[in-house]
Amino acid sequence: MNITWDDFAKIDIRVGTITEVNDFPKAKNPAWQITIDFGELGIKRSSAQITHFYEKEALTGKQVIAIVNFPPKQIANFFSECLVLGVYTDKKEVVLLTPDQPVQNGWKIG
């Protein structure tokens, strides 16, 4: 299915830096609860199923790319406020999309 440029323009994709990572034992699938600083857009939280390749301690300070204009989604007892983007492997494990050099938090992807 093709989309139009106007469809794509509705998606707000930004870069942010992970500032905090917590366990999420109530998640149906293994996941971390992460807090991300999006600069002038503020702080948002997300549930991210990225436990296979990423240790909790190594994620703090990592820049990620996320869709920031979805409505909050409740996952167990947690509200996810953005969707962190990644690539699914053939085993459904997630590899994060990240900038290849540091950029300012909140900068728009396009």
Side-chain angles (χ1 to χ4, degrees):
M1 171 165 109
N2 291 330
I3 65 170
T4 67
W5 182 256
D6 288 338
D7 292 331
F8 177 73
K10 293 175 188 175
I11 304 168
D12 194 358
I13 308 171
R14 305 283 179 131
V15 66
T17 300
I18 297 173
T19 59
E20 186 178 353
V21 182
N22 294 301
D23 294 328
F24 194 3
K26 292 187 177 186
K28 184 173 150 182
N29 297 311
W32 302 122
Q33 291 178 351
I34 60 177
T35 303
I36 306 166
D37 179 355
F38 287 102
E40 63 185 40
L41 291 178
I43 304 295
K44 292 187 179 279
R45 297 175 66 199
S46 185
S47 169
Q49 295 178 8
I50 56 174
T51 60
H52 184 78
F53 291 118
Y54 303 96
E55 294 294 324
K56 182 168 66 170
E57 298 78 15
L59 285 168
T60 301
K62 186 170 192 63
Q63 287 198 300
V64 293
I65 297 173
I67 298 174
V68 296
N69 63 333
F70 279 129
K73 179 179 181 179
Q74 185 170 358
I75 303 166
N77 62 338
F78 181 81
F79 284 91
S80 188
E81 302 168 311
C82 62
L83 176 65
V84 176
L85 298 177
V87 177
Y88 284 112
T89 69
D90 58 348
K91 296 177 183 173
K92 301 291 184 199
E93 300 153 344
V94 178
V95 177
L96 290 170
L97 294 182
T98 61
D100 68 356
Q101 54 187 298
V103 295
Q104 186 171 332
N105 289 336
W107 279 5
K108 190 168 175 73
I109 308 303

